[in-house]
């Protein structure tokens, strides 16, 4: 699928078309590109910058139980829309990793694909020539790899996301609107 086709799908969704009707017959690669595009276009990263340093510290814990507990606490402290999408995105990504023998999508490859859009740095670090860019990318990789590694245990600790915040009667910001579409997309391919 071309970038233009992904852009057309995204435009249709942005203008009120239901995700399920648009992507039901699309290839998984198309859906992956659409997912990445939605994550890139969010005004703020899915893992808020305010939580990034704590996520990095948590990713460096050696014991599984404290790591899971700390990640869960940090995710609970994220804005509701971010939290709910993370709770749907992590199992989706976990299933991709579990099928690595079929799809070649290892934890390392998936982390490299997701980290730049899930944990975007502030503007000055987005320049690859900036001295902190590589450090941020490496830290992002660690965070996403550890989230993927412990996602099943993490989801056992976190609450099941409710979909009431996505009801059309509820007034929501553009970010929440975009995350609602992303949530619908993940539900469709789960």
């Amino acid at each position: 699928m071309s970038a233009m086709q992904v852009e057309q799908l995204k435009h249709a969704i942005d203008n009120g078309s239901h995700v399920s009707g648009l992507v039901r017959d699309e290839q998984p690669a198309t859906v992956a590109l659409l997912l990445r595009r939605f994550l890139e276009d969010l005004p703020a990263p899915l893992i808020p910058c305010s939580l990034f340093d704590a996520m990095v510290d948590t990713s460096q814990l050696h014991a599984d139980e404290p790591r899971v507990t700390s990640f869960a606490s940090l995710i609970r402290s994220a804005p509701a829309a971010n939290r709910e999408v993370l709770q749907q995105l992590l199992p989706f990504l976990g299933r991709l990793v579990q099928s690595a023998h079929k799809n070649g999508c290892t934890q390392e490859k998936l982390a490299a694909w997701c980290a730049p859009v899930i944990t975007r740095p502030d503007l000055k670090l987005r320049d690859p020539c900036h001295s902190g860019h590589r450090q941020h990318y490496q830290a992002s990789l660690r965070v996403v790899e550890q989230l993927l590694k412990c996602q099943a245990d993490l989801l056992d600790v976190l609450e099941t996301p409710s979909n009431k915040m996505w009801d059309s009667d509820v007034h929501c910001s553009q970010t929440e609107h975009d995350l609602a579409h992303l949530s619908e997309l993940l539900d469709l391919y789960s």
Side-chain angles (χ1 to χ4, degrees):
M1 168 162 263
S2 71
M4 181 196 278
Q5 289 169 308
V6 170
E7 191 61 35
Q8 288 171 339
L9 279 171
K10 184 179 180 320
H11 181 73
I13 292 167
D14 287 346
N15 288 314
S17 296
H18 285 285
V19 173
S20 59
L22 293 173
V23 298
R24 187 173 311 283
D25 298 325
E26 296 295 339
Q27 296 296 316
T30 301
V31 176
L33 288 172
L34 192 57
L35 170 63
R36 184 175 173 104
R37 180 62 196 274
F38 271 107
L39 292 170
E40 287 172 339
D41 287 350
L42 291 173
L46 196 53
I47 294 177
C49 294
S50 61
L51 299 178
F52 182 72
D53 289 340
M55 287 280 202
V56 171
D57 292 344
T58 297
S59 72
Q60 295 172 350
L61 295 174
H62 295 288
D64 290 341
E65 190 174 328
R67 187 179 329 114
V68 169
T69 302
S70 182
F71 273 142
S73 175
L74 291 166
I75 290 171
R76 280 189 200 105
S77 71
N82 299 54
R83 180 177 57 247
E84 293 208 14
V85 170
L86 278 168
Q87 286 179 252
Q88 292 181 7
L89 181 62
L90 289 174
F92 176 78
L93 297 175
R95 284 190 296 280
L96 289 176
V97 171
Q98 288 172 349
S99 300
H101 62 283
K102 294 180 195 173
N103 61 26
C105 191
T106 64
Q107 180 176 303
E108 294 79 18
K109 286 180 184 178
L110 191 57
W113 185 81
C114 291
V117 294
I118 291 177
T119 63
R120 284 179 276 151
D122 62 27
L123 288 175
K124 68 181 180 190
L125 292 180
R126 289 186 191 180
D127 177 1
C129 296
H130 189 278
S131 61
H133 177 79
R134 182 162 175 77
Q135 291 171 322
H136 184 277
Y137 178 71
Q138 292 299 323
S140 295
L141 278 177
R142 273 194 311 274
V143 167
V144 175
E145 284 176 355
Q146 291 303 314
L147 284 169
L148 290 172
K149 181 179 177 183
C150 69
Q151 63 88 23
D153 293 332
L154 183 58
L155 293 168
D156 286 342
V157 173
L158 292 168
E159 309 162 357
T160 303
S162 69
N163 288 320
K164 66 182 175 185
M165 75 172 295
W166 309 127
D167 291 344
S168 58
D169 296 339
V170 177
H171 174 71
C172 57
S173 69
Q174 183 61 41
T175 299
E176 290 169 333
H177 174 78
D178 290 346
L179 290 172
H181 285 305
L182 178 58
S183 178
E184 185 180 348
L185 182 67
L186 293 172
D187 280 345
L188 183 65
Y189 278 84
S190 293

